[in-house]
Amino acid sequence: MRMGGVADVPVAVPGGHLCWVFGDDSFPAVAAAFLGDGLIRGERLLFVADAADDVALLDLLGDLPDAPGLAAADTLSVIPARDLYVPGGVIEPERQVSAYAHLTDAALAAGYTGLRVAADATLLVQEPTWRADFIRYESAIDAFMARAPMTALCAYDQRVLGDAVAELACVHPQRHMGRATDPGFCLYHRHDSLRVEGELDVAVHPLLEPALDAAIAVTERDVILDLGGLDFVDVGGLTRIRQLADDLREQGRRLTIRDAAAMLRRSWSIIGYDGVENVSWEAAA
Amino acid sequence: MTTTGHGCTFEHEAFFYGSDDDYVAALVPYLDEGVDAGDSVIAVVPDRQAARLRDALGSPSGEVAFVDAVEWYRHPARTIARYDDLLCDLGGRRARVVGEVQFGATAQDWAGWTRYEAALNRALEHHRARVVCPYDIRRLPEQVVEDARRTHPLLFQAIDRTPNHEYVEPETLVADLAPAVPLPTTPPAVDLTVTNDLGTMRRAFAGVAADARIDPDRVAELTVAVNEVATNALVHGSGTARLRAWIVGLGEIVCAVDDDGPGVHDPLLGFIPVPTDASGGRGIWLARQLFDLAEMAPTESGFRVTLVTATA
C-alpha cells in the first residue's frame, strides 16, 4: 500500500513517488543516493537533469559508484531534461506516461525488477501555465506508478520556483520541502482510489483545486476519494470536494468518499451537501 | 381568505389565544383543512396541547404528525435547520404546521427565540408552507407577546388571517435582538494571533478543550466552528485573527475571534440556509449550528465573533 508523508532522506520503496525540493547544489548527490537504492533493488535507472549532454550528466552522478560502467551496461541511462520534454511546449500527460510505460516494460523484459527515475524538472515548470500542465502530468504518472514497478524522485529548485513548489509537491505521495513552505497535505493515487492526507484549510484551497482536477483527469471511470488520512478539513475544503462531485456528475461519473471521519460527514450534512446525488460514502477498504 | 398568497409561498402567522377552548376551536379546523387539502400536516406542540388537539381532530388518526415542542425548540439555529430539512424532504408538497415556540426562562432566551421567529421569515421563504405559531397570552411574558406582533407578517384568527401592520422586516428587528455577550474577566486559556497558520490555532484550541475534559467528538465540532470563524477573520480582515478562549467554571467555553476588518452587517448571517449552489456563507451557519451562541459585533478596532457553548 502506498503511503504519503514527509521524507527526510531520498529513499523510496518500489512504486514510490517522491517530490524533492532543493535550494542548493545538492541535487546530484540526492539523485545518486536515490538511484543507488534502486540499484540494490535490481532496478534499471534513469537520470534526467538540466545539463548539456550525456557526459556532463554522468559527471554529475559522481556519487553513484561506477556510473560510466552502469551506463555502458545499459543499467543507467541519462537524458538532458530539454531533450525529454520541451520547455514551454505542451506537456501531453498520456504521451509521457506511455513513454515511461514502454521504458518500464523494457526494463522488466531485460530482467530488471523495475524502472527508477531521478529527474530535475525545474526547467519545465518555471511559468505558471507550464506548471498547470505539468501538475496534470505529475498526477498521471503517479497513477501509473500506483500500479506499475516504476519509482521516481522529482526534484524542483526552490531558488527558481519559490513557494510555487508547493503546487507540485502536493500531488506526490511523499515530499521533502527543504526550506520551502510545506503544503500540509498530499493527494495521490492508490490502485483503486485517490488518497488525501494531511489538513485542508484556507491556506491550501488554491492548491487543492488544480490537484483534484488533475487527479480526476487521469481516468474516465468513477472516482473513489479515500479520506482516511485526512486529519482536518474546513468548509472550503468540503466545498471543493462538492465541486469535484459536480464536475464528475457532468461527465456522468460518480464519487465515492471512503473512510471519512465522523466529523467530516457531519459537517458535510450540516452545510447542506447531502443532496449531491452522485456522492456515496463507504467505510475503509 | 384575506391573505396574500395562494399557498405556494411561506406564510408565517401569529395566533394569540387566551383559553384552551379558543386554542382547540381555532387549530382543529386549520389542521383538518390541511389534511383534506392533501398537505403534510405537522403539529409541533407541547404534549398537553397535543392531547387536546388529538381528541378534537376530525381527521383519521395519523394524518397529523405530532412532534414534541419541548424537544424541537431547544436551540434556535438548529430548529431552523430542522425545519428546513423537514420541508426539503417533502419534495415540494405543501406543508401546514402549528409551531408552538418554547421561549425558555430568561430574557436572553426570549430574545434568542424572538430572533428565531424573525429569521424564519427569510430562512424558510422558499418553501411551500404555512406555519401558525400559537402564543398563550395568559402564560407568556408580555415582552414575548409584544415581540411576536413584530415577527409575524400575518395574524391568524379562528377562520381567517389578516395582514399584520405591526410586522417589522427581520433585518431591522434582528439587529436589536443580538445579545451582548461579555467576555470573562479572567485571563484566557488561549490567546493567539495568527496570520496564516490556522493549524497552530486549531491545535491550541483543541488542547484547551481537551484539558477541560470535553468529549473528543465535541472538541472536533467546536474546533471546526472556531476554524471557520477564524478563516472569515483572515479572509475579510487585513489578514490576522486573534483567538481567545476561556473555560468558565465547569460548564461553559467562551471564544472570541477578533479581526481588524469592517465585519459583516447582515444580522441574519448564519441563520439562513445557504442554497446548494451558492459559493460561500456556510462557515457562520456551521458555527451557529455547533455552538449554542455565535454573536457578531463591531469592536473599537474591528470586528468580533463570540462563541459560547455548554461543555457538558
Side-chain angles (χ1 to χ4, degrees):
Chain A
M1 183 75 81
R2 302 177 99 204
M3 296 299 291
V6 171
D8 297 326
V9 290
V11 172
V13 295
H17 184 199
L18 171 56
C19 178
W20 193 273
V21 177
F22 61 96
D24 53 23
D25 297 328
S26 62
F27 170 63
V30 165
F34 185 76
L35 294 171
D37 182 38
L39 200 58
I40 294 165
R41 299 173 187 272
E43 295 166 340
R44 185 178 257 181
L45 313 177
L46 174 61
F47 179 56
V48 180
D50 186 21
D53 55 29
D54 293 5
V55 176
L57 283 166
L58 281 177
D59 274 354
L60 288 176
L61 284 182
D63 287 352
L64 185 67
D66 192 23
L70 293 171
D74 256 356
T75 298
L76 170 67
S77 307
V78 294
I79 306 179
R82 59 192 69 227
D83 289 359
L84 189 59
Y85 323 88
V86 182
V90 179
I91 295 280
E92 294 175 44
E94 285 167 23
R95 210 166 129 193
Q96 295 288 350
V97 170
S98 139
Y100 275 117
H102 282 303
L103 290 174
T104 304
D105 287 344
L108 294 174
Y112 296 95
T113 57
L115 177 71
R116 177 166 294 234
V117 181
D120 176 359
T122 306
L123 186 65
L124 310 165
V125 295
Q126 291 177 33
E127 299 296 327
T129 52
W130 305 357
R131 210 144 58 226
D133 288 341
F134 210 79
I135 288 167
R136 289 196 304 119
Y137 158 67
E138 282 281 23
S139 191
I141 196 72
D142 187 62
F144 174 71
M145 284 186 273
R147 56 186 161 80
M150 176 179 160
T151 313
L153 179 144
C154 307
Y156 295 103
D157 189 339
Q158 194 204 350
R159 293 169 298 187
V160 177
L161 301 171
D163 275 346
V165 290
E167 298 169 30
L168 297 149
C170 69
V171 294
H172 294 74
Q174 277 158 331
R175 62 190 185 273
H176 172 89
M177 297 305 292
R179 292 202 183 87
T181 305
D182 190 277
F185 81 102
C186 60
L187 174 70
Y188 64 95
H189 295 267
R190 285 186 171 174
H191 71 282
D192 72 337
S193 64
L194 288 176
R195 168 97 169 167
V196 188
E197 296 181 15
E199 300 187 42
L200 301 180
D201 67 15
V202 67
V204 303
H205 292 164
L207 306 181
L208 187 56
E209 210 162 291
L212 286 169
D213 288 348
I216 65 161
V218 169
T219 79
E220 293 173 354
R221 290 198 290 269
D222 292 345
V223 171
I224 297 171
L225 191 62
D226 179 342
L227 302 183
L230 192 56
D231 297 319
F232 180 83
V233 59
D234 68 353
V235 167
L238 293 178
T239 298
R240 276 150 187 86
I241 293 172
R242 216 284 311 272
Q243 283 164 354
L244 179 80
D246 289 346
D247 292 346
L248 290 170
R249 191 177 60 238
E250 279 174 19
Q251 301 161 14
R253 296 201 270 170
R254 294 195 56 81
L255 176 66
T256 298
I257 300 177
R258 177 182 286 173
D259 200 12
M263 185 62 224
L264 186 156
R265 185 74 185 80
R266 184 154 155 62
S267 295
W268 181 272
S269 186
I270 290 173
I271 60 177
Y273 289 169
D274 276 340
V276 185
E277 58 205 32
N278 62 325
V279 171
S280 49
W281 302 78
E282 69 176 32
Chain B
M1 296 209 184
T2 57
T3 58
T4 52
H6 302 83
C8 45
T9 51
F10 181 64
E11 297 169 295
H12 188 205
E13 307 167 24
F15 169 43
F16 301 103
Y17 66 98
S19 77
D20 294 338
D21 288 345
D22 287 354
Y23 184 88
V24 171
L27 292 180
V28 164
Y30 166 76
L31 294 169
D32 279 339
E33 188 184 274
V35 172
D36 289 344
D39 294 351
S40 176
V41 182
I42 303 149
V44 188
V45 297
D47 285 347
R48 62 188 162 79
Q49 302 291 48
R52 287 196 181 95
L53 291 173
R54 271 203 190 89
D55 287 347
L57 278 174
S59 310
S61 159
E63 291 292 320
V64 176
F66 283 89
V67 176
D68 178 10
V70 175
E71 193 276 324
W72 184 262
Y73 293 104
R74 284 185 189 282
H75 181 294
R78 283 181 209 147
T79 301
I80 288 175
R82 289 173 76 178
Y83 265 126
D84 185 53
D85 287 347
L86 180 88
L87 297 173
C88 282
D89 286 348
L90 296 179
R93 186 179 169 203
R94 197 169 51 185
R96 177 173 287 219
V97 179
V98 173
E100 194 156 1
V101 177
Q102 303 298 297
F103 276 86
T106 68
Q108 183 159 327
D109 292 338
W110 305 340
W113 285 107
T114 293
R115 178 164 62 170
Y116 154 91
E117 286 279 46
L120 209 63
N121 296 303
R122 291 284 177 270
L124 303 183
E125 67 184 352
H126 301 296
H127 291 293
R128 296 180 71 208
R130 185 175 166 192
V131 176
V132 169
C133 304
Y135 281 77
D136 185 340
I137 57 173
R138 299 164 302 178
R139 293 192 176 90
L140 286 167
E142 208 172 310
Q143 179 71 49
V144 167
V145 174
E146 196 179 304
D147 286 339
R149 295 186 190 282
R150 300 191 290 156
T151 53
H152 294 79
L154 297 165
L155 297 174
F156 175 90
Q157 279 135 6
I159 47 168
D160 218 347
R161 305 180 273 176
T162 55
N164 176 8
H165 300 296
E166 293 173 72
Y167 175 66
V168 177
E169 293 300 328
E171 289 78 3
T172 308
L173 184 64
V174 165
D176 300 332
L177 287 171
V181 186
L183 301 183
T185 50
T186 52
V190 177
D191 187 348
L192 196 63
T193 300
V194 298
T195 52
N196 57 8
D197 187 6
L198 288 176
T200 301
M201 180 183 279
R202 289 193 294 272
R203 278 176 276 281
F205 173 79
V208 165
D211 288 347
R213 297 172 185 270
I214 299 173
D215 170 75
D217 290 345
R218 189 74 183 123
V219 173
E221 290 184 346
L222 300 178
T223 304
V224 164
V226 167
N227 182 79
E228 287 308 317
V229 171
T231 299
N232 284 343
L234 288 183
V235 171
H236 301 299
S238 74
T240 60
R242 179 187 185 194
L243 168 74
R244 283 171 292 169
W246 294 262
I247 308 295
V248 183
L250 292 174
E252 197 171 67
I253 188 162
V254 177
C255 305
V257 178
D258 284 80
D259 66 56
D260 56 3
V264 288
H265 299 286
D266 177 3
L268 292 174
L269 188 69
F271 283 115
I272 314 300
V274 182
T276 310
D277 54 357
S279 63
R282 296 183 178 83
I284 292 295
W285 168 266
L286 188 81
R288 287 205 196 279
Q289 293 295 315
L290 296 175
F291 272 83
D292 291 348
L293 268 185
E295 299 305 328
M296 297 173 273
T299 59
E300 278 179 16
S301 58
F303 196 70
R304 174 177 303 154
V305 178
T306 309
L307 302 164
V308 183
T309 195
T311 56

